[in-house]
Amino acid sequence: MTNPLTIERQAPAPLSGLGVEPPTGIRLARSTMAIILAGGRGTRLGRLTDWRAKPAVPFGGKFRFIDFPLSNCVNSGIRRIGVCTQYKAQSLIRHVQHGWSFLDGRFQEFVELLPAQQNVSADWYRGTADAIYQNTYLLRKHSPDLVLVLAGDHIYKMDYNRMLYDHVTKSADMTIACMEVPLSEARGFGVMAVDDSWRVAAFQEKPENPAPMPGRADTALVSMGIYVFNAAFLYEQLERDSGDPTSSHDFGKDIIPHILQRGYRVVAHRFSDSCVNMTEGRPYWRDVGTLDAYWEANMELTKVVPDLNMYDKKWPIWTYQEQLPPAKFVFDDDGRRGMAVDSLVSGGCVISGATVRRSLLFSSVHVHSYAQVEDAVVLPNVDIGRNVVLKRAVVEKNCRLPAGLQVGVNPDLDRKRFDVSSKGITLVVPEMLADLKESGA
């Protein structure tokens, strides 16, 4: 019996039938299907990913990580989207079902959840490339000309149309979105070298000693994990890779080096060329994979003019909008004044005679009288008791902070009771508070 995923090698497609237009056009987007890789464990975020996949982690007062690539797709006109899930996926699945069901299947628009169904083999997803391979049947069903591969756990705004246009006009087999980072940070990325036409000449996945850009000894050009493929070319490469017993089935470690060695046309696309509403010309992209990076990215949003513009009506970030009453601030007595300064406060919150500074309160947070909250990220449905002091902290959802608790005041004490990052950010989760209650501390 013929393997339904096996295809004949096709010449690099000129895609002349797509009606290539300037980046503002929509024909390329309509001929594209996006696959978002959202199955990561997210272990570097510690206990924030004990019960959820990394792409489901809350961010920015009301969003989840997954909302950013999904919003970029919809705003770019790409409305055929698959989301590959794997580890601890229930929270992510529920969020996508609740918040992303507005696309209209009558017009071939959808966000489809793709757990590892083991319909190609008995394996779970073995790597980023294998996650796409196991869902090739779905891609072939919808017959896209181009496939856009995205990560589900980065915070950024990007017009994918411009990358698609770059891909087609340069007759590429594969296009890789890239950006410049300090050389000292490049070890965590795929590091690229390009020629004058931005064709990729070399690629190393997370090298110990990254190569700098020519003429810029302190900077490296790195992959963002955002790829565009000609669909037929992608199918061929995934089929070949699936049968390679030496492969780890990863785009960065296996697919990209292989196709570069064989002379296929791989080009780089500068992220800055596709950025939306850059602040002072600075592209915004954040890897929020550690507790420190997560806290810092949230804290940036409390600035008067943050680098990430979430108030842009032309490029909105979509999400599940829970129906909640407006935030409420009560009591106006000396020493007992409900107030929030330089903060984001979501619906359903009540700040009752407490002070909140430079913090993000997600939905349904209740801060009781005389509490002080500073430089904190407080996830949904948290109750902060009277006289609590909370500084430089991340509080997991459903926590109940007892009256008088101090967090972020005594680092040595915090390390005995909670998790404290290398930069002194304290993570509080319900299980830690239950242990405190049992011990009587």
Side-chain angles (χ1 to χ4, degrees), residues 25-33 76-79 161 164:
I26 60 173
R27 292 191 183 181
L28 284 178
R30 288 176 175 172
S31 300
T32 299
M33 183 168 171
S76 298
I78 299 169
R79 307 221 166 177
N161 263 305
L164 298 175

Side-chain angles (χ1 to χ4, degrees), residues 3-133:
N3 187 332
L5 299 183
T6 303
I7 65 166
E8 296 182 0
R9 167 66 177 160
Q10 299 181 10
L15 303 175
S16 57
L18 293 179
V20 176
E21 298 177 345
T24 54
I26 60 173
R27 292 191 183 181
L28 284 178
R30 288 176 175 172
S31 300
T32 299
M33 183 168 171
I35 299 290
I36 300 177
L37 302 172
R41 293 178 185 266
T43 54
R44 293 184 302 154
L45 278 169
R47 300 203 197 186
L48 280 179
T49 49
D50 272 357
W51 304 105
R52 61 168 76 89
K54 184 180 175 184
V57 172
F59 179 83
K62 62 183 294 185
F63 307 104
R64 308 277 187 122
F65 292 173
I66 190 71
D67 291 323
F68 288 83
L70 282 171
S71 294
N72 288 335
C73 284
V74 170
N75 292 335
S76 298
I78 299 169
R79 307 221 166 177
R80 294 185 294 171
I81 307 165
V83 180
C84 295
T85 66
Q86 185 150 271
Y87 303 107
K88 304 174 184 177
Q90 185 56 40
S91 176
L92 177 65
I93 291 170
R94 184 171 60 248
H95 176 75
V96 172
Q97 288 175 335
H98 288 174
W100 290 91
S101 59
F102 58 84
L103 297 180
D104 197 329
R106 294 174 299 174
F107 300 102
Q108 292 298 302
E109 299 177 350
F110 57 84
V111 176
E112 191 161 347
L113 291 158
L114 307 173
Q117 300 180 69
Q118 301 175 317
N119 54 7
V120 175
S121 70
D123 298 310
W124 296 100
Y125 294 149
R126 298 173 294 171
T128 55
D130 186 60
I132 308 294
Y133 173 68

Side-chain angles (χ1 to χ4, degrees), residues 2 13 45 65 103 142 160 181 209 214 227 286 334:
T2 303
L45 278 169
F65 292 173
L103 297 180
H142 293 288
Y160 299 132
V181 303
N209 297 299
Y227 314 124
R286 296 290 185 275
D334 290 340

Side-chain angles (χ1 to χ4, degrees), residues 298-318:
N298 276 286
M299 285 297 102
E300 284 181 358
L301 301 177
T302 67
K303 295 178 180 177
V304 176
V305 182
D307 290 340
L308 176 63
N309 180 7
M310 297 196 302
Y311 297 87
D312 176 20
K313 294 182 179 179
K314 296 181 180 178
W315 200 270
I317 305 301
W318 304 91

